[in-house]
Amino acid sequence: MKRTLIDTIEYDYPTFHLSMDCFWAEVTAGHLELKEAEAAKWLTKDQLDSVAWLPADVTLIEKIRRNMEN
């Protein structure tokens, strides 16, 4: 399986520091079972702004949006 890094996010929240490696993924079979997410949904490029992203996610979302435009 090829793992392609989107970015590593470093963000200081008031009570902790977040270091998050984010990768592109592809579902090829079966179904997804979420282990850590409180809520999840599939979004199109036009729906990306419909979510109240956490501060650490904003930079990542812009990179995802740019990639979806290519």
Side-chain angles (χ1 to χ4, degrees), residues 46-61:
D46 295 332
Q47 295 171 319
L48 289 174
D49 292 328
S50 69
V51 174
W53 299 104
L54 294 173
D57 298 331
V58 173
T59 304
L60 181 69
I61 297 306

Side-chain angles (χ1 to χ4, degrees), residues 17-37:
H17 175 79
L18 173 72
S19 180
M20 176 173 61
D21 293 330
C22 304
F23 294 88
W24 291 107
E26 180 179 350
V27 179
T28 58
H31 75 283
L32 298 177
E33 181 180 343
L34 300 176
K35 301 286 187 179
E36 298 294 329

Side-chain angles (χ1 to χ4, degrees), residues 7 10 16 70:
D7 200 357
E10 301 283 345
F16 66 96
N70 294 333

